[in-house]
Amino acid sequence: MSVLTGVLYAALVAYLGGWYAGRWNGNFALLLFVLTAVTLFYWLAERFHFAPARRAAAQALVDNDAKRRETLAAQGIARVDGDVEPARQQILQQPWWLDWTAGLFPVILVVFLLRSFLFEPFKIPSGSMVPTLLVGDLILVNKFHYGIRLPVINKKIIPNNDVKRGDVMVFRYPEDPSTDFIKRVAGIPGDEISYVNQKLYINGQLATTQPLGKFYDDSGSPRVYRPRFLEKLGDKEHEILVQPDAQTFFRADRADGPFPFQENCRYTVEGVTCKVPAGHYFMLGDNRDNSRDSRYWGFVPDENIVGKAFLVWMNFGNLKRIGTFFN
């Protein structure tokens, strides 16, 4: 078993090393599930086989020593050298390969349950959600807000709250489901979403905005001051950035070809209009001119939802961000 455990640890190190080096995309949820299953196997083996066997061997050592002492006492030898206690403790000691597998099971199980069903940490990698979220923000994602899902396969088994316009949602990127993205929900099933001449329309109604002055956006290159606005989606208000001189001509550019339900979208020189299909959502970044989102790659299916983001718990470059709640 020690050899098998060594091989498993070598495989784990190789997998993590390749992931870190960019040789392949890792799947942390699957890795955590496998680690939980493997350490559970070792924990059960320790509880019901290895530990009882060690206790039996230790007891046999004590019993044999007692019989030896009784035999010698019957022969008139009262003083017997030797103490079996150190040997007994050595027999009872858990070997390294059980200590580093079965011993880790409770910790890994707690992490697996917390991450799968309650909260998952997420790091903001880009400036697409500025000014709501900054590059380097470490946020928490509520995994049960939209319903309980089975880990790894992400199948919803218990529904909870409906997705609402304005929610900040983490989801599996439709072009590469191994990558998590974060954007704001602009359209829910049945909505007609138009982003025309840098203005957002929902079912023909212009989303209300009001100017808030300038915001220094240092998330990209060049670093510039961008006009900042307060936008309202549904009953939620949030800040967005729009640069009037950065008019973009949108086009469907999903890497693997036309996106599902692309026929629901119309692209013109002024912008894009899409009818959101059932079970899907239209996502936008708050940094409207620095976000590749549903305007380019289409809709997010319900099965890709990870959870609702709600809290910045750390930013090592800006400690004032800690504890920031957001819509």
Side-chain angles (χ1 to χ4, degrees):
M1 288 294 288
S2 61
V3 175
L4 175 61
T5 306
V7 170
L8 291 175
Y9 265 101
L12 176 62
V13 170
Y15 176 78
L16 294 175
W19 186 0
Y20 180 80
R23 297 294 182 87
W24 49 73
N25 289 327
N27 187 327
F28 190 73
L30 178 60
L31 175 63
L32 200 56
F33 175 78
V34 171
L35 289 176
T36 304
V38 170
T39 55
L40 171 61
F41 169 79
Y42 277 88
W43 184 82
L44 291 173
E46 162 68 359
R47 183 178 179 87
F48 296 106
H49 176 69
F50 292 114
R54 292 198 305 273
R55 288 194 294 267
Q59 188 60 47
L61 176 67
V62 172
D63 292 344
N64 290 335
D65 181 69
K67 289 181 179 179
R68 182 174 69 90
R69 291 176 184 274
E70 290 178 2
T71 300
L72 293 175
Q75 297 174 3
I77 303 175
R79 182 173 179 176
V80 181
D81 294 333
D83 183 5
V84 298
E85 184 58 23
R88 175 180 172 275
Q89 292 297 328
Q90 186 172 1
I91 291 173
L92 290 174
Q93 185 176 0
Q94 196 178 58
W96 72 267
W97 50 271
L98 279 171
D99 186 32
W100 283 85
T101 51
L104 292 176
F105 168 67
V107 176
I108 294 177
L109 178 63
V110 169
V111 173
F112 175 72
L113 293 177
L114 286 175
R115 187 184 184 277
S116 298
F117 301 108
L118 296 178
F119 303 105
E120 179 179 347
F122 182 81
K123 183 178 180 179
I124 303 301
S126 72
S128 69
M129 285 297 291
V130 173
T132 304
L133 296 170
L134 306 183
V135 176
D137 279 349
L138 300 175
I139 67 172
L140 282 182
V141 178
N142 186 328
K143 298 294 290 286
F144 61 87
H145 181 81
Y146 299 124
I148 303 298
R149 296 174 183 266
L150 293 176
V152 182
I153 62 174
N154 208 41
K155 181 176 178 58
K156 185 188 295 184
I157 55 175
I158 301 176
N160 196 4
N161 298 294
D162 293 331
V163 177
K164 296 181 179 180
R165 300 186 199 95
D167 286 355
V168 179
M169 179 195 293
V170 173
F171 54 92
R172 290 178 170 83
Y173 183 32
E175 286 191 284
D176 179 10
S178 66
T179 302
D180 288 341
F181 263 34
I182 183 168
K183 305 289 182 186
R184 189 177 298 276
V185 179
I188 59 178
D191 282 347
E192 182 178 77
I193 302 299
S194 297
Y195 194 79
V196 177
N197 294 323
Q198 296 183 298
K199 295 185 183 298
L200 176 63
Y201 298 83
I202 301 175
N203 299 320
Q205 298 295 317
L206 178 65
T208 59
T209 60
Q210 62 183 76
L212 294 177
K214 297 285 188 177
F215 180 89
Y216 183 62
D217 182 11
D218 61 356
S219 63
S221 180
R223 300 177 179 181
V224 296
Y225 282 95
R226 299 186 188 275
R228 182 166 51 113
F229 298 87
L230 185 68
E231 180 181 72
K232 187 172 184 179
L233 293 180
D235 59 353
K236 296 182 179 180
E237 293 183 329
H238 55 274
E239 295 182 3
I240 62 172
L241 300 183
V242 178
Q243 188 70 30
D245 59 359
Q247 177 69 47
T248 303
F249 297 99
F250 303 104
R251 60 183 177 84
D253 64 350
R254 182 159 164 158
D256 56 357
F259 56 79
F261 301 101
Q262 185 170 317
E263 64 276 9
N264 286 26
C265 295
R266 304 187 307 275
Y267 290 88
T268 67
V269 293
E270 289 84 16
V272 57
T273 297
C274 292
K275 182 76 171 181
V276 184
H280 291 72
Y281 304 94
F282 192 93
M283 313 299 295
L284 289 175
D286 288 349
N287 196 348
R288 294 289 161 79
D289 302 302
N290 189 25
S291 173
R292 189 171 180 274
D293 44 41
S294 287
R295 294 171 292 183
Y296 298 91
W297 43 253
F299 310 102
V300 174
D302 184 80
E303 59 265 25
N304 283 36
I305 293 176
V306 173
K308 184 177 184 292
F310 70 99
L311 172 69
V312 178
W313 65 271
M314 177 57 72
N315 185 316
F316 293 101
N318 185 354
L319 298 181
K320 294 180 179 180
R321 297 284 298 166
I322 298 175
T324 301
F325 288 87
F326 52 88
N327 287 326

